[in-house]
Amino acid sequence: MSESLETAVKTNPQGDPITSVAAPKPAAVQKDPHAEAKKQRVVTPEYMFFEAPRTREFITGSEAAKEAVRRSNVDLSIAYPITPQSETMQLIGVLYGEGYVKEYYRGEEEYGVMSAIAGASRAGVRCFTATAGPGTLRGLEPIASWPGHRLPAVAMFTCRVVNAPLAIQPDNIEISYLLNCGMIVFHAENQQDMFDFIMKGFIISEMNDVTLPVGVCCDGFFVTHARGYVHMQEKGIKLPPREAWRGAVPVLDAENPPARLSRDAPVQKSNFMAYNIHAVWQQEVWAAVERSRKYINKLMGGLCTAENVENADAVIVASGSAAAQSREAVRLCAEKNIKVGLIKIRSLRPFPTQELRQLCKNVKLIVIPEFNYVGWLAKDVATAIYGHSKAKIIAGPHVYGGQSMPVELIVDEVESGLTGKKSTNVPLSAIMGTDVDQAAVAHFMQNI
Amino acid sequence: MSLDYVKFSPGFEKFMPKEYRDMVEHGPFGKKVSVSQMGSFKEILEEHPMCAGCAMTLFIRLSMISFPNPEDTITVGTAGCGRLAISQAAIPFVYGNYGDQNGVASGLSRGLRLRFGDKPKDVVVMVGDGGMADIGFSATLHSWFRKEKFTTIMLDNEVYGNTGGQESGMTNRGAVLKMAPLGKKFEKMDMVGMAKIAGCAYVATVVPNNPRRVETVIKKAVLIAREVGPAYIQAYTSCNIEYAIPTDKVMEDAKNVEGDRYQFSEYITDDAKQYLAERYGYKEFLPKPAAAVTKA
């Protein structure tokens, strides 16, 4: 009975803007809802990413994620309607109804969802899920164990506020928790990035010498709910399926690591061998993150991109939506004859350390705008270029808790960084490595 | 995770350790073995680091002998004493995070069905009372409500044994344990009742001192979980350390507890009965024509 019920409710009654343009007519003949999906043909990743003709659509980030999954030969996807929600996972449900995704269900909450993704990835099938903000943190224990278990999968994080008091607004603080899990972490600027990074994420994740999960992050709302132009391949083609035997380790084999690590007697007891075995495994996980660089370079065109950086006095280093705002800031600066470049970071793990050292060698000023309070990107950038650049590093402007980032704030940081004259005395940024401006903080405190 | 997998690669036979050769030649893979033959074949779980007199270990051994297709079986566990033994068996064991076992098993069994279709791959969760009724409660109940097709076995020693004897949800009211200095203040959780409410197709309670009964219960559960729905077995597996049961009195204790709060019980849905009868020839579940009609 449950089987027949399930078939009847597979298709999302709300439909989605792409597939539900034409209202369904009462058809006399029963049409196979999976007909289109069955006609999809497998193409190589190279053809899919570099050769297949693309057409342009004006869609939301959630729809871009859906269209990426449609073309990615995904076997299993698990959804949970966390607040704050994006449409992404319910749109994957539409794909399930249409037969593009073979298995799909609504999980009980993120801990259960992320655990089930771990189980399904062990079974050798291609998995996708998405969550946001508090959901990411709720699922973090299983997520943090995916890399150690060497489980390929793609998870999408549509970043939102996680701190108290309650808010559902964009804020990408959750990325800072994901950075040290041992997974590969991309940060999408827009809908096009979302589409590309998810598809390429599957291929990179399943490379033999990588065999790691990939997290594709974006700033929630700005990317998930807003529309942008996305160049997409036709719906009739899809990536090759996951071939579990290609993985670096047999994940279910109790005779081999990582499964072996839980059965070997030394690991169960606290002694030197136990520490050593775990230490070696952590090294291997992070070495696998390093080995993914070549695939990111090949498939995504680099861990970062540089625009107008040559001969620039200052560069803005940004990821995600902050990169979009920064590009506009670069244009405004050009009007003021300030030579500013933009480095957009696509891959946060692995981090483009060598690239930044090269690009930032001669600049005087680096401005790092971020959609969070703590400035996790600024810390990574400063660490990467320490000793390789004499540039002054301004961590900021920072906006958080749902604030948007006016382009003028970035321009002001660039101008004041170069000239020393600041048009606002609200401490939206900090100069890294120097004392906090006590006067500015005092002024701020008195005015709240 | 298949019969081919446990065979030797041609030419490598003589280089394999004796233990391994014994497992392939005298193990249960691809054969029908029974607890009554114990001692005449190599078991998939022999060496383990468990305490002397551990009833849980006996139960795990019996369970593993009873798996209908050990070569196609994957066990899933979580933190606790049980996993120290389960992980030593010659079949794949998944250890993820705390209390995640029924979540992992949901994804695993669905993924295996996608990959292997109708060829049965049995997923069996084996965890302690704390791992299931406390930290893994949500994932457990939801997997049952979702009718996930795998077997869940609770190794109920009524205490957190591995961490040194703290109260669990399955501890009896009044028991004085660590973290319950004045005695446990609420009743033992009724997981059997919840399993029925949540829609398990098979629910049973057993103690380990009747090996034949353990065997039939495990076999039925695993077979039902293949196609009908979730199966739940709750087994009393005492902790002789934390409850200070002398090693030679462990079976006596199990018998006493069986008489007190662990009477053998078995709940099978009609669908499951029909399936066992038709598919696997369980005579006791064949319909009794006259009576069945009048009852219906």
Side-chain angles (χ1 to χ4, degrees):
Chain A
M1 194 190 87
S2 63
E3 289 298 313
S4 60
L5 260 180
E6 205 177 355
T7 318
V9 296
K10 265 180 189 175
T11 308
N12 179 358
Q14 292 175 17
D16 70 294
I18 290 175
T19 54
S20 66
V21 175
K25 288 170 195 143
V29 189
Q30 193 75 30
K31 261 182 75 180
D32 177 7
H34 295 183
E36 289 297 312
K38 282 176 187 163
K39 279 189 237 158
Q40 262 191 329
R41 63 176 211 281
V42 170
V43 297
T44 63
E46 288 73 21
Y47 176 81
M48 177 70 88
F49 298 141
F50 303 120
E51 294 164 34
R54 297 193 183 206
T55 49
R56 200 175 72 157
E57 302 256 13
F58 189 59
I59 56 175
T60 67
S62 291
E63 287 161 355
K66 174 197 175 189
E67 293 306 318
V69 169
R70 188 201 295 279
R71 291 158 178 79
S72 296
N73 212 339
V74 171
D75 293 300
L76 182 144
S77 190
I78 308 171
Y80 181 72
I82 190 76
T83 295
Q85 181 56 275
S86 75
E87 283 182 322
T88 307
M89 285 315 294
Q90 69 202 42
L91 293 179
I92 306 302
V94 175
L95 289 182
Y96 172 60
E98 294 172 352
Y100 290 97
V101 172
K102 297 187 192 80
E103 183 65 285
Y104 172 91
Y105 71 94
R106 190 260 327 144
E108 62 270 38
E109 41 82 35
E110 259 75 10
Y111 191 91
V113 168
M114 302 307 168
S115 299
I117 290 289
S121 184
R122 279 184 177 92
V125 299
R126 187 173 286 162
C127 313
F128 176 83
T129 189
T131 187
T136 304
L137 264 63
R138 193 172 177 88
L140 199 59
E141 188 190 341
I143 291 168
S145 76
W146 290 349
H149 291 299
R150 306 305 293 272
L151 303 173
V154 171
M156 173 175 161
F157 302 99
T158 60
C159 302
R160 304 286 192 96
V161 169
V162 297
N163 331 69
L166 175 68
I168 57 163
Q169 304 304 330
D171 183 320
N172 60 31
I173 188 72
E174 72 198 77
I175 294 177
S176 67
Y177 295 89
L178 296 171
L179 291 179
N180 301 316
C181 290
M183 73 195 301
I184 294 166
V185 182
F186 300 147
H187 197 177
E189 176 194 339
N190 50 31
Q191 293 78 5
Q192 181 73 58
D193 278 358
M194 206 72 240
F195 179 80
D196 291 336
F197 290 3
I198 288 173
M199 292 181 78
K200 291 169 181 177
F202 282 115
I203 298 302
I204 294 166
S205 161
E206 292 167 18
M207 285 291 176
N208 171 278
D209 56 350
V210 178
T211 313
L212 284 176
V214 168
V216 180
C217 307
C218 71
D219 295 76
F221 256 138
F222 301 131
V223 177
T224 50
H225 290 58
R227 283 172 192 275
Y229 286 114
V230 181
H231 292 84
M232 298 189 294
Q233 305 89 344
E234 55 155 319
K235 289 178 188 177
I237 55 176
K238 61 181 173 183
L239 291 171
R242 177 176 169 195
E243 287 174 320
W245 56 271
R246 282 181 187 275
V249 291
V251 282
L252 273 175
D253 181 357
E255 299 297 329
N256 282 292
R260 171 119 202 182
L261 301 189
S262 71
R263 82 180 289 196
D264 274 359
V267 178
Q268 300 185 0
K269 302 290 172 198
S270 298
N271 60 29
F272 176 75
M273 279 310 291
Y275 308 149
N276 196 32
I277 288 169
H278 203 279
V280 167
W281 197 249
Q282 287 195 36
Q283 288 173 6
E284 159 53 19
V285 166
W286 285 98
V289 173
E290 287 301 307
R291 294 194 295 262
S292 70
R293 286 180 191 274
K294 55 182 177 289
Y295 302 115
I296 299 170
N297 283 327
K298 185 182 159 207
L299 296 179
M300 291 168 53
L303 283 76
C304 61
T305 59
E307 302 165 29
N308 296 325
V309 172
E310 280 187 21
N311 305 320
D313 295 327
V315 294
I316 303 169
V317 181
S319 65
S321 294
Q325 296 301 89
S326 299
R327 191 169 290 111
E328 180 63 5
V330 168
R331 193 185 65 77
L332 290 182
C333 285
E335 285 178 1
K336 296 183 174 194
N337 287 324
I338 305 169
K339 284 193 273 182
V340 187
L342 168 64
I343 299 172
K344 169 184 155 183
I345 297 185
R346 291 166 166 164
S347 173
L348 296 165
R349 290 291 178 276
F351 195 70
T353 305
Q354 298 297 339
E355 291 89 334
L356 283 175
R357 286 177 183 172
Q358 190 64 33
L359 292 165
C360 297
K361 203 158 50 177
N362 299 318
V363 298
K364 295 178 199 151
L365 173 71
I366 298 171
V367 172
I368 307 162
E370 289 182 66
F371 280 88
N372 65 74
Y373 181 86
V374 300
W376 47 258
L377 181 60
K379 287 169 188 163
D380 269 6
V381 171
T383 308
I385 64 169
Y386 181 75
H388 293 265
S389 169
K390 293 202 169 97
K392 179 160 87 173
I393 302 175
I394 292 180
H398 290 147
V399 294
Y400 29 89
Q403 295 170 327
S404 56
M405 185 183 283
V407 174
E408 291 76 10
L409 286 182
I410 308 173
V411 174
D412 187 48
E413 292 294 349
V414 172
E415 268 192 299
S416 64
L418 290 171
T419 63
K421 285 181 222 156
K422 216 159 180 231
S423 65
T424 169
N425 51 9
V426 175
L428 284 163
S429 62
I431 298 172
M432 296 196 74
T434 61
D435 292 339
V436 176
D437 183 350
Q438 294 298 341
V441 173
H443 176 85
F444 178 68
M445 296 304 288
Q446 282 159 13
N447 285 286
I448 55 174
Chain B
M1 203 188 38
S2 78
L3 200 50
D4 284 340
Y5 188 81
V6 292
K7 287 179 185 160
F8 301 117
S9 298
F12 280 83
E13 189 175 335
K14 62 183 176 188
F15 301 108
M16 300 306 285
K18 186 166 187 321
E19 282 281 297
Y20 203 108
R21 274 185 281 141
D22 282 350
M23 181 52 70
V24 176
E25 286 157 14
H26 307 294
F29 298 122
K31 300 170 198 154
K32 291 258 179 287
V33 295
S34 159
V35 291
S36 58
Q37 296 165 284
M38 274 174 91
S40 70
F41 62 93
K42 189 170 172 70
E43 292 173 41
I44 51 178
L45 172 63
E46 286 190 339
E47 294 180 15
H48 57 77
M50 309 289 265
C51 306
C54 175
M56 184 187 290
T57 314
L58 172 63
F59 180 81
I60 293 169
R61 267 180 74 190
L62 295 173
S63 301
M64 292 206 168
I65 292 169
S66 313
F67 290 158
N69 286 35
E71 63 275 13
D72 290 309
T73 304
I74 298 164
T75 51
V76 183
T78 192
C81 291
R83 69 111 184 167
L84 296 173
I86 302 163
S87 62
Q88 303 302 316
I91 55 173
F93 170 64
V94 176
Y95 178 89
N97 295 102
Y98 300 105
D100 70 349
Q101 61 278 349
N102 282 48
V104 170
S106 299
L108 184 61
S109 67
R110 286 180 189 238
L112 291 170
R113 273 168 227 275
L114 283 180
R115 265 186 86 189
F116 300 101
D118 294 337
K119 188 172 167 46
K121 298 285 176 189
D122 299 321
V123 175
V124 180
V125 168
M126 286 179 112
V127 294
D129 46 309
M132 181 186 299
D134 294 347
I135 198 168
F137 186 78
S138 159
T140 302
L141 266 285
H142 278 280
S143 73
W144 291 342
F145 277 113
R146 281 198 307 267
K147 307 283 189 287
E148 299 284 354
K149 290 174 187 156
F150 60 83
T151 307
T152 306
I153 300 173
M154 181 197 282
L155 308 165
D156 181 14
N157 56 11
E158 306 184 327
V159 67
Y160 281 84
N162 194 39
T163 46
Q166 296 86 6
E167 171 199 291
S168 92
M170 299 299 286
T171 299
N172 290 293
R173 184 179 180 143
V176 176
L177 291 162
K178 287 162 195 158
M179 299 189 184
L182 304 178
K184 193 184 180 218
K185 292 182 176 171
F186 61 99
E187 283 72 22
K188 185 179 176 80
M189 290 168 71
D190 181 11
M191 289 298 284
V192 168
M194 281 184 269
K196 290 176 190 167
I197 289 169
C200 284
Y202 182 81
V203 184
T205 49
V206 280
V207 295
N209 49 5
N210 186 341
R212 290 288 296 183
R213 181 173 282 163
V214 172
E215 180 174 27
T216 59
V217 162
I218 297 277
K219 276 206 161 61
K220 278 183 239 177
V222 174
L223 294 176
I224 288 169
R226 276 183 191 170
E227 287 188 36
V228 185
Y232 174 55
I233 297 169
Q234 186 175 309
Y236 175 69
T237 58
S238 66
C239 179
N240 55 322
I241 304 297
E242 297 303 337
Y243 280 98
I245 307 164
T247 307
D248 59 343
K249 298 276 192 278
V250 168
M251 285 299 109
E252 197 180 311
D253 164 76
K255 196 147 182 49
N256 292 338
V257 171
E258 184 180 24
D260 173 39
R261 59 185 176 276
Y262 253 96
Q263 287 91 355
F264 171 68
S265 71
E266 195 177 47
Y267 161 87
I268 316 181
T269 61
D270 291 341
D271 284 355
K273 282 179 187 168
Q274 190 186 348
Y275 162 84
L276 283 182
E278 288 173 4
R279 187 70 65 85
Y280 295 100
Y282 277 74
K283 290 198 183 74
E284 66 266 41
F285 300 129
L286 284 171
K288 299 173 188 77
V293 170
T294 42
K295 225 179 172 183

